[in-house]
Amino acid sequence: MKLAVVGGGSTYTPELIDGFARLRDTLPITELVLVDPAAERLELVGGLARRIFAKQDHAGRIVTTTDLDAGVEGADAVLLQLRVGGQAARQQDETWPLECGCVGQETTGAGGLAKALRTVPVVLDIAERVRRANPDAWIIDFTNPVGIVTRALLQAGHKAVGLCNVAIGFQRKFAKLLGVAPSEIHLDHVGLNHLTWETAVRIGGPEGENALPRLLAEHGDAVADDLRLPRPVLDRLGVVPSYYLRYFYAHDEVVRELGTKPSRAAEVAAMEKELLDMYGDPALDEKPALLGKRGGAFYSEAAVDLAASLLGGGGSPYQVVNTYNNGTLPFLPDDAVIETQAAVGAQGASPLPVAPVDPLYAGLIANVTAYEDLALEAALRGGRDRVFKALLAHPLVGQYAYADGLTDRLIAHNREHLAWA
C-alpha cells in the first residue's frame, strides 16, 4: 500500500508518522511519500520520519520528494495538509480583521475566507494531477477550511473525504472523563467543519446510552474550562459546542482578547522553528513532547482510521468526516458539505441519520452554509464583488461597512496568491 502526504514538510508530519508506525496493523503501508516544495524542511522531517519508523520496527519505505507528480504516482490515497502562504499568511489572517473589529482567525470569518481563496485553486490543481496519475486514489483533506476545500473537491468529481481532529479530540476527552475506552464513545456530532455541536455522547455505538447529561452534570466545569465558555452556557444549551463556537458566542470578548496578546500564528511560528531544530537532531527518533502544543492532536489516529476504511482495511465502521449532505440535514442543499458521523468504507462516506436539529443550531448552520456557497464561488471565479458578498453573508461580519473594509484588506494582503487580483 502506497500513501502520499502533500505538505509532508509540515511540522505536523511526525505526529502522522507516529500514528502510521503504531497502527501499522490497521494500515499496512509499504511506501510513504512525503511531498513538499520546501526541500530543506522536507529533509529534516523526512529524516525524523525514517528514524521513527526504524525505532518502531516498521518495514515501510519513506521517500521524500519535491516533485508532486512523481510523489503521487501509484498512490492508493493522498493526504492533503498544506498551507498556502505559510505561517506568514496565517499571521495576516489573524491580524488585519481586527482592524475592522472582527475576529482574526485562520479558518473562520474574514481570515478563513482569505485562506479559502488562497487554497482552493491550489488544491484543485493538485487533485487534478492526482487524478491523472491514479484515478482510483482517494484524497483525504485535512487542509483548512476543510468544509469549503472538500466541497470544491467533490464538486470537481474527485474521490475525496474531509477530515478534522475536533471530533476525535472530544471522543478522547469524554472517554477519559467517563472512564471508558475511546472506542466505546460514539458522538452525535452535527454541523459544519469548525461549526459543530455534540448533541449526544453514546456509550457502545449509535444506539447506545446517551451519557451527555451525566457528562455535563458530573464534569461540566472541566468541559466548560476546556471550551473557555461559562458553565451556565453549557447547562442552558445541554450540548457541547466545538471550541470554534466561542468566536460566535463570545465574539466581542474574543476580539478584545486578541488585541492584547501575540497572535497564535506568531506562537506557532516560534514553535515551528524550535521543532525543526529538534528534527535535525540525528539522535531524535520519536515525536517530541513540544509537538503536542502545535495542534492537531489525535490527527494521526483519525487519518489512519479513515484511510484504512476507504482502502478496504480494518478501520472503524463509523467515523466523523466531511462529506456531502445528501438529505441528512433537510434544511441544507444536498451538495452542502457537512461534518457528521458516517458509515465509511471502500465506496466512501455515507452520513448516518441525524435527529432533527434545534433551530438554535440549524439557523447558524444554514447561515454559514450560505457563506460557504459564496466563499467557494469567490475562490473559483474571483472578483471583489464576490469577496464582498461572502463577507457580508458571514455572521462574524454581517455589516456592509465591515465587509467593505475587510474586502480591501483581504485583497491587499493576498494579491500574490490571487490570480484575478
Side-chain angles (χ1 to χ4, degrees):
M1 180 184 298
K2 176 179 177 179
L3 265 65
V5 179
V6 179
S10 168
T11 53
Y12 270 134
T13 300
E15 162 71 25
L16 194 59
I17 299 298
D18 179 71
F20 287 157
R22 288 185 293 101
L23 303 171
R24 55 184 173 272
D25 291 340
T26 302
L27 189 68
I29 298 169
T30 54
E31 182 176 357
L32 177 64
V33 184
L34 306 181
V35 183
D36 204 294
E40 186 175 348
R41 287 173 64 108
L42 190 61
E43 181 180 356
L44 294 172
V45 173
L48 175 56
R50 293 186 185 97
R51 295 192 296 273
I52 291 173
F53 263 31
K55 182 178 182 179
Q56 300 196 35
D57 296 321
H58 194 298
R61 174 174 175 246
I62 294 180
V63 177
T64 59
T65 181
T66 59
D67 185 333
L68 174 67
D69 296 311
V72 302
E73 181 71 36
D76 297 291
V78 178
L79 279 68
L80 305 182
Q81 57 170 35
L82 56 144
R83 182 183 295 279
V84 179
Q87 292 299 329
R90 177 178 180 172
Q91 169 71 14
Q92 293 176 353
D93 293 344
E94 293 180 349
T95 51
W96 54 261
L98 296 173
E99 298 170 7
C100 295
C102 296
V103 160
Q105 212 279 331
E106 63 155 345
T107 65
T108 191
L113 177 60
K115 194 172 196 301
L117 298 182
R118 293 192 304 269
T119 303
V120 166
V122 174
V123 166
L124 289 178
D125 176 66
I126 292 169
E128 192 56 44
R129 291 161 72 175
V130 170
R131 180 155 54 189
R132 289 199 300 266
N134 183 5
D136 293 326
W138 278 102
I139 295 175
I140 297 173
D141 179 61
F142 193 66
T143 297
N144 281 318
V146 168
I148 295 172
V149 173
T150 301
R151 186 168 178 181
L153 288 165
L154 290 173
Q155 286 188 175
H158 297 290
K159 292 176 61 177
V161 180
L163 181 65
C164 180
N165 70 318
V166 167
I168 195 171
F170 275 139
Q171 181 200 45
R172 296 301 198 268
K173 290 171 186 173
F174 296 165
K176 185 175 181 180
L177 290 172
L178 293 169
V180 300
S183 60
E184 287 293 298
I185 296 290
H186 178 96
L187 301 175
D188 284 11
H189 179 102
V190 63
L192 312 176
N193 179 242
H194 289 186
L195 192 85
T196 51
W197 295 262
E198 311 307 326
T199 58
V201 178
R202 302 191 182 278
I203 307 296
E207 306 301 324
E209 170 213 351
N210 180 14
L212 180 57
R214 174 161 59 94
L215 177 76
L216 291 177
E218 298 177 2
H219 306 286
D221 287 343
V223 175
D225 287 348
D226 195 45
L227 299 173
R228 299 187 63 204
L229 287 171
R231 167 71 185 271
V233 171
L234 293 191
D235 290 338
R236 294 172 72 180
L237 294 177
V239 301
V240 178
S242 157
Y243 48 83
Y244 287 93
L245 264 299
R246 186 168 183 261
Y247 297 117
F248 296 81
Y249 291 163
H251 176 274
D252 294 353
E253 179 183 339
V254 172
V255 169
R256 288 192 295 270
E257 286 178 5
L258 294 175
T260 62
K261 62 181 183 179
S263 68
R264 173 63 177 164
E267 294 175 358
V268 170
M271 202 179 303
E272 285 200 335
K273 184 178 185 305
E274 189 174 351
L275 284 169
L276 289 170
D277 288 342
M278 291 179 177
Y279 295 172
D281 180 356
L284 183 67
D285 56 7
E286 60 186 13
K287 63 176 184 179
L290 179 62
L291 186 55
K293 299 179 181 180
R294 170 67 180 82
F298 308 115
Y299 164 39
S300 60
E301 283 89 343
V304 167
D305 209 15
L306 179 54
S309 293
L310 293 173
L311 299 176
S316 303
Y318 306 118
Q319 299 171 42
V320 174
V321 297
N322 286 259
T323 191
Y324 271 149
N325 177 45
N326 282 338
T328 307
L329 301 181
F331 54 89
L332 295 184
D334 284 350
D335 66 349
V337 164
I338 62 173
E339 185 171 291
T340 190
Q341 284 280 2
V344 183
Q347 300 306 309
S350 299
L352 300 184
V354 171
V357 179
D358 189 302
L360 179 60
Y361 317 124
L364 188 52
I365 292 169
N367 189 340
V368 175
T369 296
Y371 151 76
E372 290 190 349
D373 290 345
L374 295 167
L376 183 54
E377 183 76 0
L380 294 174
R381 301 180 63 191
R384 188 187 188 281
D385 283 350
R386 293 188 182 93
V387 174
F388 170 80
K389 289 176 181 177
L391 288 167
L392 188 61
H394 202 294
L396 295 182
V397 180
Q399 298 184 51
Y400 73 84
Y402 287 173
D404 244 347
L406 290 167
T407 298
D408 290 338
R409 287 167 172 81
L410 186 155
I411 294 172
H413 285 284
N414 289 277
R415 286 189 189 280
E416 65 179 297
H417 301 293
L418 305 177
W420 52 268

